[in-house]
Amino acid sequence: LDIGGDKMLDYFPHRNESNPFLGLRAIRFSLRYKDVFFQQLRALLRAGVDRELRIMFPLVASVDDFLEARDAVQECIGQLAEEGLAHHSSPQLGVMVELPSVVEVIEELAAEVQFISIGSNDLIQYLLAVDRTNDQIADLYLPSHPAVLRCVRRIAAAAQAKGIPLSICGDMATDAGLIPFLLGIGIRYLSMDPHAIPAVQAAIQAVELPEAVMFAERLLSCGSIRAVRACLESGPANRQR
């Protein structure tokens, strides 16, 4: 349940928080209110019987967050088995990587999960300490910031090392200028609103994979925003325009 911040529940009492984006959000809410969490997990397990089922936990901040959530899934599986209710007994479990803290332990986390998704909007927001809803600092919210690019590359490398699926959603997944970079570091699954698909598809078709790999290497070697911007301006996406 990816709630909190700018997404609130109608059926749960709202609490005033000074910094709701740093508050009781997502997996933190689920692990705090296990009664709600268990109802959702049981429903997923029952609805997913006899089909592929993947459950992703948002806003995970540590390996421990994932392990506690995984334990909750196993407990629900045990309950359903005891009650004789049909259910999926071995769902794939994954995480949404949105916090800098989990990037620092991504290799250990990748050893535990079955898949990873990068939530680029929140990852950028927390990594750069920029409120993406604040118009006054919108120019500081940069998907192409060197630190963001290197974080995404580290996540991709960890997923590849363990052979687990990796996807990315948010602004980066629909940024035509960064599509060659994402392809170059090995990301093959992009999640987006349907209206963004044609432009992204065109960006993918406009670049050869070896060129994308070299482009990604050039971007990762840039240590400043200015250098990244210059590289992007001469990159594959702009040459096709």
Side-chain angles (χ1 to χ4, degrees), residues 21-33 59 61 99:
F21 281 96
L22 302 179
L24 192 61
R25 295 185 55 193
I27 195 64
R28 298 172 180 176
F29 176 92
S30 296
L31 294 177
R32 177 75 58 85
Y33 296 100
L59 210 73
L99 299 179

Side-chain angles (χ1 to χ4, degrees), residues 45-224:
L45 293 166
R46 294 183 65 185
V49 67
D50 297 328
R51 66 195 68 197
E52 182 181 357
L53 176 62
R54 297 192 299 167
I55 302 175
M56 180 167 65
F57 305 117
L59 210 73
V60 166
S62 64
V63 176
D64 306 78
D65 281 349
F66 173 76
L67 295 178
E68 187 175 353
R70 185 175 69 183
D71 288 344
V73 174
Q74 293 303 318
E75 186 171 345
C76 288
I77 290 172
Q79 290 176 357
L80 292 169
E82 288 181 6
E83 295 166 22
L85 295 172
H87 63 282
H88 198 300
S89 60
S90 56
Q92 294 186 23
L93 304 180
V95 295
M96 178 79 80
V97 175
E98 304 167 89
L99 299 179
S101 63
V102 84
V103 176
E104 287 300 313
V105 292
I106 194 63
E107 292 81 13
E108 290 86 351
L109 186 62
E112 301 289 347
V113 304
Q114 280 79 56
F115 65 93
I116 293 174
S117 178
I118 300 172
S120 66
N121 289 353
D122 270 339
L123 181 60
I124 295 165
Q125 171 174 252
Y126 292 124
L127 187 63
L128 303 183
V130 174
D131 180 357
R132 57 190 172 93
T133 67
N134 187 337
D135 292 338
Q136 296 186 75
I137 52 174
D139 59 318
L140 301 180
Y141 179 83
L142 297 172
S144 58
H145 190 290
V148 174
L149 300 179
R150 293 176 186 183
C151 268
V152 173
R153 175 64 183 96
R154 181 172 176 182
I155 298 164
Q160 290 159 14
K162 293 300 180 180
I164 58 176
L166 171 70
S167 63
I168 186 168
C169 64
D171 293 339
M172 290 188 77
T174 59
D175 188 327
L178 289 177
I179 293 299
F181 168 78
L182 299 177
L183 296 175
I185 62 173
I187 294 179
R188 299 291 181 266
Y189 299 95
L190 309 174
S191 177
M192 66 198 71
D193 290 332
H195 69 81
I197 292 175
V200 171
Q201 188 174 37
I204 292 172
Q205 293 172 336
V207 63
E208 297 291 336
L209 193 55
E211 181 184 20
V213 172
M214 290 188 292
F215 177 65
E217 290 174 353
R218 289 202 305 274
L219 275 184
L220 291 166
S221 69
C222 298
S224 68

